[in-house]
Structures are given as C-alpha cells and as structure tokens.
Amino acid sequence: EIPSKSVQDLKILDSDLKDGLNKIYSHIEGGSKNWIYQQYDQRVGARTAKDCSSSIGVVSLPETGRALSVVLGCRPYVMRMHPGLGGADAVIYPSLELAVKGFKSLAVTDCLNFGNPEKPELMSEFVAAVESMSEACKAIDAPVISGNVSLYNETLEKNVTSTPSTGIVGIKDDIQNIPSDKFQQNGDVAFVLRLPQVKTEGCYKEICGEQPKYSGELNNKELSEFVTGLKEIVLKNIITTSKVSGNFGLAFTLSKMCMSGMGLKVDNQEVFSSQGLFGESLYEVVLCVSKNQKEGFLQLASELKSKLNQLEIYELGTTGGSNLEINSQSVPVDHLFKEYNQSWEKNFEVLA
C-alpha cells in the first residue's frame, strides 16, 4: 500500500522564475540531453516521424499508414519518495505522454534494476514497485510482454536507487496531426488539465538538497479514464501543442515548450497557488488550441470533467512574443534556450 502524507507536511519552495529556471538548467537533471542523441542516426530506414528531440519516438508503418510510438518511463526521484508510487508512475507517466499525442498504449517492457534483495528493505521495495506496476498496467490495458531483472546493483554495500525502467509502445491509426512538444502558432490558447491525485514538492526540492515529500494517493480507475479521455481529445485534431508536466513542475514544462523560440504570456495566479512554480501534481498536462477551437476544446474538457470530478481546467494564456511571462515575472526565450543547451558543458565532468 502506498501511504498518504498529510498536505500539511508539504512545503513548496518559493523561487523567482528566472533564478529557479537557471538553477534547474544548470543541474544535470534539468539540462538538454541532445548532445547524446544527436551523435547517432535516428532516421534509419527514413520512416522516423518524431525523433529523440520529442517526448515520444514515432515511426510510420509501411503499407498500413499507421504510426508506432515508443516512450520510456521511471523517474528515480519518485522512486526515492516511495517505491509503490514510483512503480505506478513508471507506467502511468509514459502512458500519458503517449495519450497527449493521440496514441493508445499497447504493451510494456521493463528492466527492473534493484540492489541487494537479501536486504529486507530492498526486497520490500521490489515487491511494492512490481505490484504497483502490475496494477497500473491493468488500468491502462497494456500487458508486460518482455523484460528482465537486474539485482545486486550496489557499490561498497550501498544500493543504487531502485529503478523499474519501462518502455511502452503505442499505436495511432495515422501519422497525421501529432501535436508538437513546442509552441507552434502565434495566438494559440494554452490550457492545463490537472488531475491532482498526488501533490509533491518535486524534483526541485531534491536538487536543493532536501528529500521531497508527497501528499495523496493514486486512483488507477480515474487515471485510466484520464489517459483515455486525453487521447480522445487529441484525436479530434484540434490540439496544436501538448506536453505532460513532470520533473520540476509546470513553470519548467512551459519553459521547455518555449524552445521553438515562441513565448507564452500566463495570467493565472490560481494554477500556481497550491504548488508554486516548481511543485508538481501527479498528473497534469498542457494542451494548446487555436483561438477558433477554444470553445470546442472547452466542451470536450467539460465532458471529461463530468467523468472525473477532481479534474481541474485552467486557461493559462496565449502564445506569442519572445518571453515566457508568468504573472508578473518574465524571462526572455533566448535566455532559456541558451541555458538549457549549455547545461551539458557545465556537467560533462561529472558524467563519467
């Protein structure tokens, strides 16, 4: 069982927008990883539709015209909060990443990396993670069809962080109208759909040197409805940009969506009131539509809310300009791009 923690236990760290983003981008967890994948051929066979620069990989399938996708899961800092929560997240989070691009999750493979199972606390982590993964797979109707287990991963009797890594494949009937990760059109309206089952101080708290806490518990039935509902909204072909908000929270997610060079003006205090700029909700997604599709989108979101009473719908603002503006704070997009892409240079020595 994944224990709940009282919401009073949570302390979201306040931070200036620019200072907070600089801190994240300068950390190995928050910077760009393109220096790794740009060294390899991602387009063998010339069927690649979305490469490693996207949140999911997509290839077109010959003859059928369908699209096959793959996405990876497991966030070690969530595992460090609780192995049951981390195990479920290793399935739910990537399935959401597929859903917001219009893909149905088909099957899961895993690589269960754990420490010494002869230590009772490690075996307990293994059981909690695997059981949570199993329940999450049932919820999204995606069986584990392959995988492996790697145990005794330790150095000087110190265990590695338990990491039940996953890979999920998904399918879409066509290769068209897959939303981008980054803002594409001037004047689009950005929304957040949030199903706040678990709130956490998040990865930002961890890079500040403290162990993040969380409050709440996951409900797999509701999460299954959320995943399916998001996929159905995207398949209406009105979404221009979509992204799941994850590590480092909503403000960081929005900053990465600005990496196309297009900014966003957010004028909504409420969306940040319960978790600050860098706190996290499991789970929330950002979806963008053109202005003439706004009413149609709100109708679809309301229909999903009728099935999920906890669902929160926020209108953030409109895309455009050269700054990320969140309420009264503003950061130039070119500054974000520079900091994000120079991060690997600052961290290269610690990667060995």
Side-chain angles (χ1 to χ4, degrees), residues 311-344:
L311 185 67
E312 300 170 1
I313 305 168
Y314 299 97
E315 181 176 339
L316 291 178
T318 56
T319 60
S322 57
N323 296 299
L324 172 61
E325 300 181 39
I326 297 181
N327 300 320
S328 61
Q329 301 186 64
S330 179
V331 184
V333 170
D334 58 359
H335 172 81
L336 298 174
F337 186 84
K338 178 182 177 182
E339 292 298 309
Y340 179 64
N341 286 288
Q342 287 184 349
S343 175
W344 73 271

Short mmCIF file of all heavy atoms in Angstrom, two decimals, residues 311-344:
data_model
loop_
_atom_site.label_atom_id
_atom_site.label_comp_id
_atom_site.label_asym_id
_atom_site.label_seq_id
_atom_site.Cartn_x
_atom_site.Cartn_y
_atom_site.Cartn_z
N LEU A 311 -11.07 16.67 -11.73
CA LEU A 311 -10.34 17.31 -12.82
C LEU A 311 -10.45 18.83 -12.74
O LEU A 311 -11.54 19.39 -12.59
CB LEU A 311 -10.88 16.83 -14.17
CG LEU A 311 -10.13 17.34 -15.41
CD1 LEU A 311 -8.72 16.75 -15.46
CD2 LEU A 311 -10.89 17.00 -16.68
N GLU A 312 -9.29 19.48 -12.85
CA GLU A 312 -9.23 20.94 -12.83
C GLU A 312 -8.84 21.43 -14.22
O GLU A 312 -7.93 20.89 -14.84
CB GLU A 312 -8.21 21.43 -11.78
CG GLU A 312 -8.56 20.98 -10.37
CD GLU A 312 -7.43 21.26 -9.38
OE1 GLU A 312 -6.39 21.82 -9.79
OE2 GLU A 312 -7.59 20.90 -8.20
N ILE A 313 -9.53 22.46 -14.70
CA ILE A 313 -9.28 23.02 -16.02
C ILE A 313 -8.88 24.48 -15.86
O ILE A 313 -9.64 25.28 -15.29
CB ILE A 313 -10.52 22.91 -16.93
CG1 ILE A 313 -10.99 21.45 -17.01
CG2 ILE A 313 -10.24 23.47 -18.31
CD1 ILE A 313 -12.36 21.28 -17.64
N TYR A 314 -7.69 24.83 -16.34
CA TYR A 314 -7.20 26.20 -16.22
C TYR A 314 -6.84 26.74 -17.60
O TYR A 314 -6.16 26.07 -18.38
CB TYR A 314 -5.94 26.25 -15.36
CG TYR A 314 -6.12 25.78 -13.93
CD1 TYR A 314 -5.78 24.48 -13.58
CD2 TYR A 314 -6.60 26.64 -12.94
CE1 TYR A 314 -5.92 24.04 -12.26
CE2 TYR A 314 -6.75 26.20 -11.63
CZ TYR A 314 -6.41 24.90 -11.30
OH TYR A 314 -6.55 24.47 -10.00
N GLU A 315 -7.28 27.96 -17.88
CA GLU A 315 -6.79 28.67 -19.06
C GLU A 315 -5.57 29.47 -18.64
O GLU A 315 -5.66 30.33 -17.75
CB GLU A 315 -7.86 29.58 -19.64
CG GLU A 315 -7.40 30.31 -20.88
CD GLU A 315 -8.48 31.15 -21.53
OE1 GLU A 315 -9.68 30.89 -21.27
OE2 GLU A 315 -8.13 32.08 -22.29
N LEU A 316 -4.42 29.18 -19.26
CA LEU A 316 -3.18 29.85 -18.87
C LEU A 316 -3.02 31.20 -19.53
O LEU A 316 -2.70 32.20 -18.89
CB LEU A 316 -1.98 28.97 -19.25
CG LEU A 316 -1.77 27.68 -18.47
CD1 LEU A 316 -0.57 26.92 -19.02
CD2 LEU A 316 -1.57 27.98 -16.99
N GLY A 317 -3.16 31.25 -20.85
CA GLY A 317 -2.92 32.48 -21.60
C GLY A 317 -2.67 32.16 -23.06
O GLY A 317 -3.05 31.09 -23.54
N THR A 318 -2.00 33.07 -23.76
CA THR A 318 -1.80 32.91 -25.20
C THR A 318 -0.33 32.88 -25.56
O THR A 318 0.52 33.50 -24.90
CB THR A 318 -2.48 34.06 -25.97
OG1 THR A 318 -1.99 35.31 -25.48
CG2 THR A 318 -3.99 34.01 -25.79
N THR A 319 -0.03 32.15 -26.62
CA THR A 319 1.33 32.04 -27.11
C THR A 319 1.70 33.27 -27.95
O THR A 319 0.84 33.94 -28.52
CB THR A 319 1.50 30.78 -27.97
OG1 THR A 319 0.61 30.86 -29.08
CG2 THR A 319 1.21 29.53 -27.17
N GLY A 320 3.01 33.53 -28.01
CA GLY A 320 3.48 34.64 -28.82
C GLY A 320 4.53 35.46 -28.08
O GLY A 320 4.74 35.29 -26.88
N GLY A 321 5.20 36.32 -28.80
CA GLY A 321 6.22 37.16 -28.21
C GLY A 321 7.53 36.41 -28.02
O GLY A 321 7.68 35.26 -28.43
N SER A 322 8.44 37.06 -27.34
CA SER A 322 9.79 36.50 -27.16
C SER A 322 10.13 36.26 -25.70
O SER A 322 11.30 36.10 -25.36
CB SER A 322 10.83 37.43 -27.78
OG SER A 322 10.74 38.73 -27.21
N ASN A 323 9.12 36.21 -24.84
CA ASN A 323 9.35 35.99 -23.41
C ASN A 323 8.39 34.95 -22.87
O ASN A 323 7.26 34.81 -23.37
CB ASN A 323 9.15 37.29 -22.61
CG ASN A 323 10.15 38.35 -22.97
OD1 ASN A 323 11.36 38.18 -22.82
ND2 ASN A 323 9.64 39.48 -23.46
N LEU A 324 8.83 34.24 -21.85
CA LEU A 324 7.93 33.45 -21.01
C LEU A 324 7.52 34.35 -19.85
O LEU A 324 8.36 34.72 -19.02
CB LEU A 324 8.61 32.19 -20.48
CG LEU A 324 7.82 31.39 -19.43
CD1 LEU A 324 6.49 30.90 -19.99
CD2 LEU A 324 8.64 30.23 -18.89
N GLU A 325 6.27 34.74 -19.82
CA GLU A 325 5.75 35.61 -18.77
C GLU A 325 4.77 34.82 -17.91
O GLU A 325 3.79 34.29 -18.41
CB GLU A 325 5.05 36.83 -19.36
CG GLU A 325 5.92 37.72 -20.22
CD GLU A 325 5.17 38.92 -20.76
OE1 GLU A 325 4.34 39.48 -20.00
OE2 GLU A 325 5.38 39.28 -21.92
N ILE A 326 5.07 34.73 -16.64
CA ILE A 326 4.16 34.06 -15.70
C ILE A 326 3.76 35.08 -14.65
O ILE A 326 4.57 35.47 -13.79
CB ILE A 326 4.80 32.82 -15.07
CG1 ILE A 326 5.11 31.79 -16.16
CG2 ILE A 326 3.89 32.22 -14.00
CD1 ILE A 326 5.72 30.49 -15.65
N ASN A 327 2.52 35.54 -14.80
CA ASN A 327 2.00 36.60 -13.95
C ASN A 327 2.92 37.82 -14.04
O ASN A 327 3.09 38.38 -15.09
CB ASN A 327 1.75 36.07 -12.55
CG ASN A 327 0.72 34.91 -12.57
OD1 ASN A 327 -0.26 34.97 -13.32
ND2 ASN A 327 0.97 33.85 -11.82
N SER A 328 3.60 38.20 -12.99
CA SER A 328 4.40 39.44 -13.04
C SER A 328 5.87 39.19 -13.38
O SER A 328 6.66 40.12 -13.42
CB SER A 328 4.31 40.18 -11.71
OG SER A 328 4.82 39.38 -10.65
N GLN A 329 6.26 37.94 -13.63
CA GLN A 329 7.65 37.61 -13.89
C GLN A 329 7.86 37.25 -15.36
O GLN A 329 7.01 36.62 -15.98
CB GLN A 329 8.11 36.45 -13.00
CG GLN A 329 7.96 36.72 -11.50
CD GLN A 329 8.55 35.61 -10.67
OE1 GLN A 329 9.76 35.36 -10.71
NE2 GLN A 329 7.72 34.93 -9.91
N SER A 330 9.03 37.62 -15.90
CA SER A 330 9.29 37.42 -17.31
C SER A 330 10.74 37.01 -17.54
O SER A 330 11.65 37.54 -16.91
CB SER A 330 8.98 38.71 -18.08
OG SER A 330 9.25 38.56 -19.45
N VAL A 331 10.94 36.05 -18.46
CA VAL A 331 12.27 35.59 -18.83
C VAL A 331 12.33 35.51 -20.36
O VAL A 331 11.45 34.91 -20.98
CB VAL A 331 12.60 34.21 -18.24
CG1 VAL A 331 14.04 33.82 -18.57
CG2 VAL A 331 12.38 34.18 -16.74
N PRO A 332 13.36 36.10 -20.99
CA PRO A 332 13.48 36.00 -22.45
C PRO A 332 13.66 34.55 -22.90
O PRO A 332 14.40 33.78 -22.28
CB PRO A 332 14.73 36.83 -22.76
CG PRO A 332 14.90 37.74 -21.59
CD PRO A 332 14.41 36.96 -20.41
N VAL A 333 13.00 34.20 -23.99
CA VAL A 333 13.09 32.84 -24.51
C VAL A 333 14.51 32.51 -24.95
O VAL A 333 14.98 31.38 -24.76
CB VAL A 333 12.10 32.66 -25.69
CG1 VAL A 333 12.35 31.33 -26.40
CG2 VAL A 333 10.67 32.72 -25.18
N ASP A 334 15.23 33.49 -25.52
CA ASP A 334 16.60 33.19 -25.96
C ASP A 334 17.52 32.89 -24.79
O ASP A 334 18.46 32.10 -24.90
CB ASP A 334 17.16 34.31 -26.83
CG ASP A 334 17.18 35.67 -26.14
OD1 ASP A 334 16.74 35.77 -24.98
OD2 ASP A 334 17.64 36.64 -26.78
N HIS A 335 17.23 33.48 -23.61
CA HIS A 335 18.00 33.14 -22.40
C HIS A 335 17.72 31.69 -21.99
O HIS A 335 18.65 30.95 -21.65
CB HIS A 335 17.62 34.09 -21.26
CG HIS A 335 18.22 33.70 -19.94
ND1 HIS A 335 19.52 34.00 -19.58
CD2 HIS A 335 17.70 33.00 -18.88
CE1 HIS A 335 19.77 33.52 -18.37
NE2 HIS A 335 18.69 32.91 -17.93
N LEU A 336 16.45 31.28 -22.03
CA LEU A 336 16.08 29.90 -21.68
C LEU A 336 16.78 28.92 -22.61
O LEU A 336 17.34 27.91 -22.16
CB LEU A 336 14.56 29.72 -21.80
CG LEU A 336 13.68 30.56 -20.88
CD1 LEU A 336 12.21 30.34 -21.24
CD2 LEU A 336 13.93 30.23 -19.42
N PHE A 337 16.75 29.22 -23.90
CA PHE A 337 17.36 28.33 -24.90
C PHE A 337 18.86 28.18 -24.65
O PHE A 337 19.40 27.07 -24.68
CB PHE A 337 17.11 28.89 -26.30
CG PHE A 337 17.56 27.99 -27.41
CD1 PHE A 337 16.75 26.97 -27.87
CD2 PHE A 337 18.81 28.16 -27.99
CE1 PHE A 337 17.16 26.14 -28.89
CE2 PHE A 337 19.24 27.33 -29.02
CZ PHE A 337 18.41 26.31 -29.47
N LYS A 338 19.52 29.28 -24.38
CA LYS A 338 20.97 29.25 -24.14
C LYS A 338 21.31 28.44 -22.90
O LYS A 338 22.20 27.57 -22.93
CB LYS A 338 21.49 30.68 -24.00
CG LYS A 338 22.98 30.77 -23.71
CD LYS A 338 23.42 32.22 -23.54
CE LYS A 338 24.90 32.31 -23.17
NZ LYS A 338 25.32 33.72 -22.97
N GLU A 339 20.61 28.71 -21.80
CA GLU A 339 20.90 28.00 -20.55
C GLU A 339 20.61 26.51 -20.67
O GLU A 339 21.37 25.67 -20.18
CB GLU A 339 20.08 28.61 -19.40
CG GLU A 339 20.49 30.01 -19.01
CD GLU A 339 21.93 30.06 -18.51
OE1 GLU A 339 22.27 29.26 -17.62
OE2 GLU A 339 22.71 30.89 -19.02
N TYR A 340 19.51 26.17 -21.31
CA TYR A 340 19.11 24.77 -21.46
C TYR A 340 20.14 23.99 -22.27
O TYR A 340 20.53 22.88 -21.91
CB TYR A 340 17.74 24.72 -22.14
CG TYR A 340 17.20 23.33 -22.38
CD1 TYR A 340 16.89 22.50 -21.32
CD2 TYR A 340 16.95 22.88 -23.67
CE1 TYR A 340 16.37 21.23 -21.53
CE2 TYR A 340 16.43 21.62 -23.90
CZ TYR A 340 16.14 20.80 -22.82
OH TYR A 340 15.62 19.54 -23.05
N ASN A 341 20.62 24.57 -23.36
CA ASN A 341 21.51 23.85 -24.26
C ASN A 341 22.97 23.89 -23.84
O ASN A 341 23.77 23.10 -24.34
CB ASN A 341 21.34 24.39 -25.69
CG ASN A 341 20.05 23.92 -26.32
OD1 ASN A 341 19.90 22.77 -26.68
ND2 ASN A 341 19.10 24.83 -26.43
N GLN A 342 23.35 24.77 -22.92
CA GLN A 342 24.73 24.81 -22.45
C GLN A 342 24.93 23.98 -21.18
O GLN A 342 26.05 23.84 -20.71
CB GLN A 342 25.15 26.26 -22.17
CG GLN A 342 25.38 27.08 -23.43
CD GLN A 342 25.90 28.47 -23.11
OE1 GLN A 342 25.91 28.92 -21.97
NE2 GLN A 342 26.35 29.17 -24.15
N SER A 343 23.86 23.40 -20.68
CA SER A 343 23.94 22.68 -19.41
C SER A 343 24.94 21.54 -19.44
O SER A 343 25.69 21.31 -18.47
CB SER A 343 22.56 22.15 -19.03
OG SER A 343 22.62 21.37 -17.86
N TRP A 344 24.98 20.80 -20.56
CA TRP A 344 25.87 19.62 -20.61
C TRP A 344 27.33 20.01 -20.46
O TRP A 344 28.13 19.25 -19.91
CB TRP A 344 25.64 18.84 -21.90
CG TRP A 344 26.19 19.49 -23.14
CD1 TRP A 344 25.54 20.38 -23.94
CD2 TRP A 344 27.48 19.29 -23.70
NE1 TRP A 344 26.36 20.76 -24.97
CE2 TRP A 344 27.56 20.10 -24.86
CE3 TRP A 344 28.57 18.51 -23.35
CZ2 TRP A 344 28.68 20.16 -25.65
CZ3 TRP A 344 29.71 18.57 -24.16
CH2 TRP A 344 29.76 19.39 -25.28
#
